[in-house]
Amino acid sequence: MALFGFEQVEDWVKTKRVHDLFSRVTNSYDIMNDLMSLGIHRYWKDYFVKNLTLHTGERVLDVASGTGDITRKILEIYPFLNLKITATDLTESMLNLGRDKSIDQGILNVEYKVADAENLPFEGESFDAYTISFGMRNIGNMEKALSEAYRILKPGGRFYCLEFSHVDNEYVKMAYDLYSKVIPHLGGVVANDEKAYQYLVDSIRSFPSQEAFKDMITNASFENASFENLTFGVVAIHHGKKS
């Protein structure tokens, strides 16, 4: 069973609902990210990518790639590494928009593949790094997704996750909770889909704590699992290494 917001549903039901939700909001997704985070998501993503450990010629898998922010930023920050990047997403319309944005910027050396993070269509031990940004909480079975991440990584491969988490400052939490009540209304105005953004707010609140998610990474056989909070824990970066 999985949590769709705060509702308990079968894993496959959550996967289908998430697919349908993101199919509906594809065209307003980027502008809503700016509105919801007041633009701070750009700083989080930039910091996330700048702190990846990547080496020349490595294969990188960007899961739940969405409109491709992380994929493009990796290539922007590490142009000298000759990386081979594959971007995947459950929702074809999101992936297509990401591909179109990359093409508009002259980025042509990315492989795109529609894929479920719980059942990745790749051979084992075929990637050096796995990134997922603001996508883990939308997966039906996170344990299975972490197991898949471990499977497709080579020995020594690195797992990196950027995700909304739990605020560790009382005053920031109060302000954050108040602002969270505004987000569904913004979604109603901008994306004409208040329910979609109510789910996104609820999915943040129901995501495991920093320590709990770190334990999940460890239980998936990764070594040296750890996390770093950004903006008082509004988001956290988790990572682990395959032995």
Side-chain angles (χ1 to χ4, degrees):
M1 299 292 286
L3 283 174
F4 184 81
F6 292 109
E7 181 186 357
Q8 285 273 359
V9 297
E10 296 286 345
D11 295 347
W12 70 268
V13 172
K14 178 175 180 177
T15 299
K16 183 179 185 306
R17 288 186 183 180
V18 166
H19 173 273
D20 294 346
L21 182 157
F22 282 99
S23 294
R24 297 198 308 270
V25 303
T26 295
N27 292 331
S28 58
Y29 181 76
D30 287 332
I31 189 170
M32 277 300 298
N33 278 348
D34 281 329
L35 291 172
M36 287 190 301
S37 71
L38 305 178
I40 302 173
H41 76 101
R42 297 175 184 273
Y43 156 75
W44 293 330
K45 290 172 180 176
D46 190 67
Y47 184 89
F48 176 64
V49 173
K50 285 181 177 177
N51 284 273
L52 300 175
T53 299
L54 300 171
H55 305 289
T56 301
E58 288 192 323
R59 292 191 70 193
V60 180
L61 181 65
D62 186 27
V63 176
S65 179
T67 57
D69 283 356
I70 298 299
T71 294
R72 288 190 296 276
K73 193 164 287 292
I74 289 172
L75 292 170
E76 172 191 327
I77 292 175
Y78 304 102
F80 48 87
L81 291 182
N82 192 29
L83 299 168
K84 302 172 181 65
I85 300 186
T86 300
T88 72
D89 199 273
L90 179 68
T91 308
E92 186 172 8
S93 58
M94 293 284 283
L95 198 66
N96 288 342
L97 181 56
R99 182 187 59 203
D100 291 345
K101 284 174 172 285
S102 295
I103 291 171
D104 288 345
Q105 295 180 26
I107 299 171
L108 307 175
N109 56 334
V110 178
E111 177 187 14
Y112 296 90
K113 190 174 288 289
V114 176
D116 183 346
E118 298 175 43
N119 296 284
L120 295 170
F122 307 109
E123 294 182 0
E125 301 188 354
S126 54
F127 289 90
D128 300 283
Y130 174 116
T131 62
I132 182 167
S133 172
F134 301 118
M136 184 60 71
R137 73 185 190 282
N138 296 318
I139 293 171
N141 188 322
M142 288 189 289
E143 289 86 354
K144 190 172 181 183
L146 288 169
S147 177
E148 276 291 270
Y150 190 87
R151 180 186 68 81
I152 61 93
L153 283 172
K154 299 175 184 178
R158 287 83 63 200
F159 167 86
Y160 299 98
C161 175
L162 173 65
E163 186 55 89
F164 287 107
S165 199
H166 293 255
V167 177
D168 59 9
N169 179 285
E170 180 181 352
Y171 298 106
V172 174
K173 185 177 187 302
M174 289 173 59
Y176 184 57
D177 287 344
L178 284 172
Y179 184 61
S180 293
K181 295 178 181 178
V182 176
I183 289 174
H185 301 297
L186 276 175
V189 172
V190 176
N192 196 30
D193 201 328
E194 186 169 334
K195 287 185 178 180
Y197 285 92
Q198 184 62 57
Y199 157 74
L200 290 173
V201 168
D202 292 344
S203 71
I204 293 169
R205 291 172 173 158
S206 62
F207 191 72
S209 69
Q210 287 90 326
E211 287 288 348
F213 188 57
K214 186 184 81 169
D215 289 343
M216 290 174 67
I217 295 169
T218 298
N219 291 338
S221 300
F222 286 100
E223 294 183 343
N224 304 319
S226 61
F227 66 87
E228 177 184 4
N229 283 335
L230 301 181
T231 317
F232 301 101
V234 173
V235 301
I237 297 172
H238 282 78
H239 54 85
K241 187 175 182 179
K242 182 172 179 175
S243 59

